[in-house]
């Protein structure tokens, strides 16, 4: 496992594509000016030793060398061993509704993306808690089992979309049942299920299923995204809206957030409902709730003994730049025979 100490230096890599475009433009400009002076055949006779390949190779060495120096400044560190550590926290499972109604854009950028933002911001506030992620619509799908690796959790979170679960609808029962399997019944660690949904199309029996989950020791927090006014469901092709979802009567479907459904689930489990449209308010509420939940000590395995690797990148960068400084733009005979850039004329 690798981590980076000074990530802000990665922004320096944004200069690389700018340098590449500038280099290509300069080559084009030179060719254009040379064409005004003489034909390509004449130029080859006047300067037979000039090499386009050497020019490009020299630039590539500069770019790679500079990239290595930037990575060296970031100071990548690599863990050298695994160790078991003791932590105090709780187990949290996020259940994100990925039904098609979550594609509605009545909250920016969409209900689904808003739900992802909420989960990501909550994860940022966690310390030693273990987390898991579930996607659900007509059925439930385990996206990530209980883990302490928040980086992996965020990566998997971004892959979630309606296509991840084949069955459409909104089956909270399957989400609760799957969430229960994430926790060890013998483990006395406090357990929290955070449900993010628009509350629409929840099947009958959702509240009863929530009560069963509560009997298993799950504390349930429901977060509602979307608006009561609602909006259409965009169907995209190649990232562009192609049309909107229609019903059997060919009418555009308008999906709305159903707060009563989410509040009912929370009330039946002595939990709470939170308006998810304001990310900051949700994060503050969850943070305050977690502060009042008793933490339990548990063991987890993680990578440790991270050692800096910057010296390898700095050394490679300096070697490449040093080698480039000795590179002449004259042709090398064996490369000349290859005629890589069609520099020879018949």
């Amino acid at each position: 496992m690798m981590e980076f100490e000074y990530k802000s230096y990665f922004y320096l890599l944004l200069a690389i594509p700018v340098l590449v475009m500038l280099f290509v433009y300069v080559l084009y400009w030179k060719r254009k000016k040379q064409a005004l002076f003489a034909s390509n055949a004449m130029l080859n006779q006047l300067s037979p030793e000039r090499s386009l390949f050497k020019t490009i190779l020299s630039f590539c060495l500069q770019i790679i060398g500079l990239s290595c120096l930037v990575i060296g400044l970031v100071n990548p560190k690599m863990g050298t061993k695994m160790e078991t550590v003791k932590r105090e926290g709780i187990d949290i499972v996020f259940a994100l509704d990925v039904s098609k109604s979550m594609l509605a854009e009545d909250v920016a950028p969409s209900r689904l993306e808003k739900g992802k933002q909420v989960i990501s911001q909550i994860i940022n506030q966690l310390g030693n808690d273990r987390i898991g992620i579930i996607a659900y619509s007509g059925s439930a799908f385990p996206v990530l089992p209980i883990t302490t690796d928040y980086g992996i959790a965020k990566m998997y979170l971004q892959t979630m979309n309606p296509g991840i679960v084949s069955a459409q609808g909104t089956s909270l029962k399957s989400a609760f049942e799957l969430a229960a399997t994430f926790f060890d019944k013998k483990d006395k660690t406090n357990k929290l299920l955070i449900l993010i949904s628009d509350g629409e199309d929840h099947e009958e029996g959702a509240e009863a299923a929530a009560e069963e989950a509560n009997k298993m020791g799950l504390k349930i927090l429901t977060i509602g995204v979307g608006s009561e006014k609602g909006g259409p469901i965009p169907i995209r092709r190649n990232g562009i809206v192609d049309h909107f979802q229609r019903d059997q009567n060919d009418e555009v479907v308008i999906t709305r957030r159903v707060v009563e459904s989410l509040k009912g689930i929370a009330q039946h489990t002595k939990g709470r409902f939170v308006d998810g449209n304001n990310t900051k308010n949700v994060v503050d509420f969850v943070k305050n709730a977690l502060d009042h939940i008793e933490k339990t000590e548990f063991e987890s395995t993680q990578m440790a003994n991270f050692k800096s690797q910057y010296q390898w990148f700095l050394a490679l960068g300096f070697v490449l730049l040093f080698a480039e400084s000795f590179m002449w733009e004259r042709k090398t005979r064996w490369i000349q025979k290859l005629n890589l850039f069609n520099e020879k004329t018949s």
Side-chain angles (χ1 to χ4, degrees):
M1 182 178 177
M2 183 171 287
E3 63 179 27
F4 304 98
E5 186 172 4
Y6 305 111
K7 295 181 181 179
S8 57
Y9 283 115
F10 272 128
Y11 288 111
L12 293 175
L13 293 176
L14 294 175
I16 300 299
V18 176
L19 293 174
V20 171
M21 289 188 290
L22 183 61
F23 175 73
V24 172
Y25 172 76
V26 170
L27 284 182
Y28 169 77
W29 177 81
K30 283 184 175 181
R31 278 293 181 93
K32 193 173 181 180
K33 291 298 182 182
Q34 288 172 351
L36 295 176
F37 174 72
S39 65
N40 193 48
M42 180 64 71
L43 287 172
N44 286 334
Q45 292 180 5
L46 294 174
S47 54
E49 295 301 317
R50 69 185 181 91
S51 173
L52 178 59
F53 173 78
K54 285 287 191 68
T55 301
I56 294 176
L57 178 60
S58 176
F59 177 75
C60 289
L61 289 177
Q62 292 178 27
I63 292 297
I64 297 173
L66 290 174
S67 299
C68 289
L69 293 182
V70 171
I71 296 175
L73 291 174
V74 172
N75 189 19
K77 294 183 176 181
M78 184 172 291
T80 58
K81 67 177 182 179
M82 301 293 293
E83 69 177 14
T84 300
V85 296
K86 289 186 176 181
R87 298 183 174 189
E88 281 192 346
I90 67 172
D91 289 342
I92 304 172
V93 169
F94 296 95
L96 178 61
D97 185 351
V98 293
S99 57
K100 283 189 176 180
S101 64
M102 292 289 285
L103 296 176
E105 299 175 349
D106 50 346
V107 292
S110 71
R111 296 177 185 176
L112 182 59
E113 292 304 317
K114 176 57 103 174
K116 292 180 183 180
Q117 290 176 8
V118 168
I119 294 175
S120 182
Q121 290 301 315
I122 292 175
I123 291 176
N124 288 341
Q125 300 299 317
L126 301 179
N128 297 319
D129 306 294
R130 296 183 293 196
I131 60 176
I133 302 177
I134 290 172
Y136 78 96
S137 55
S139 59
F141 178 78
V143 176
L144 183 71
I146 291 292
T147 180
T148 55
D149 193 331
Y150 297 161
I152 291 292
K154 288 184 179 180
M155 183 180 71
Y156 275 88
L157 178 65
Q158 296 308 313
T159 66
M160 297 174 68
N161 59 74
I164 202 171
V165 180
S166 57
Q168 285 302 307
T170 312
S171 176
L172 274 176
K173 182 179 179 180
S174 60
F176 292 144
E177 290 175 347
L178 181 58
T181 66
F182 273 50
F183 304 108
D184 185 352
K185 295 180 181 179
K186 298 180 182 179
D187 194 342
K188 295 182 179 180
T189 305
N190 280 314
K191 305 167 180 63
L192 175 65
L193 174 61
I194 299 180
L195 180 78
I196 301 94
S197 174
D198 55 17
E200 190 177 61
D201 295 333
H202 281 170
E203 63 178 12
E204 294 184 5
E207 294 177 357
E211 288 184 1
E212 288 298 318
N214 190 43
K215 290 178 182 178
M216 299 176 190
L218 295 182
K219 294 178 174 63
I220 300 177
L221 173 68
T222 59
I223 299 175
V225 291
S227 66
E228 282 66 43
K229 181 180 179 181
I233 303 173
I235 306 299
R236 299 177 180 272
R237 287 186 180 179
N238 299 322
I240 301 174
V241 176
D242 182 66
H243 61 279
F244 293 100
Q245 184 80 33
R246 293 180 177 271
D247 58 19
Q248 295 178 347
N249 299 319
D250 202 35
E251 297 288 337
V252 174
V253 174
I254 300 298
T255 172
R256 296 176 173 83
R257 181 176 68 170
V258 184
V259 173
E260 292 74 18
S261 173
L262 296 171
K263 284 184 176 179
I265 293 168
Q267 290 171 358
H268 276 72
T269 59
K270 298 180 182 180
R272 293 290 300 274
F273 165 79
V274 186
D275 187 336
N277 294 337
N278 188 317
T279 304
K280 184 179 184 303
N281 289 346
V282 177
V283 173
D284 290 343
F285 178 87
V286 173
K287 187 175 183 298
N288 182 65
L290 293 177
D291 288 340
H292 290 82
I293 296 178
E294 183 181 355
K295 306 296 189 297
T296 306
E297 187 179 87
F298 58 87
E299 292 184 346
S300 65
T301 303
Q302 65 180 28
M303 188 68 72
N305 194 23
F306 285 86
K307 293 185 177 180
S308 296
Q309 307 294 323
Y310 71 91
Q311 62 273 15
W312 303 106
F313 293 96
L314 291 181
L316 179 59
F318 284 124
V319 167
L320 291 175
L321 293 177
F322 183 74
E324 185 278 331
S325 65
F326 286 93
M327 183 168 291
W328 298 348
E329 292 190 358
R330 296 176 59 184
K331 291 181 179 179
T332 304
R333 290 187 177 182
W334 67 270
I335 294 179
Q336 185 177 2
K337 292 178 181 179
L338 296 177
N339 195 26
L340 296 174
F341 295 92
N342 295 319
E343 294 172 307
K344 293 181 179 180
T345 56
S346 57

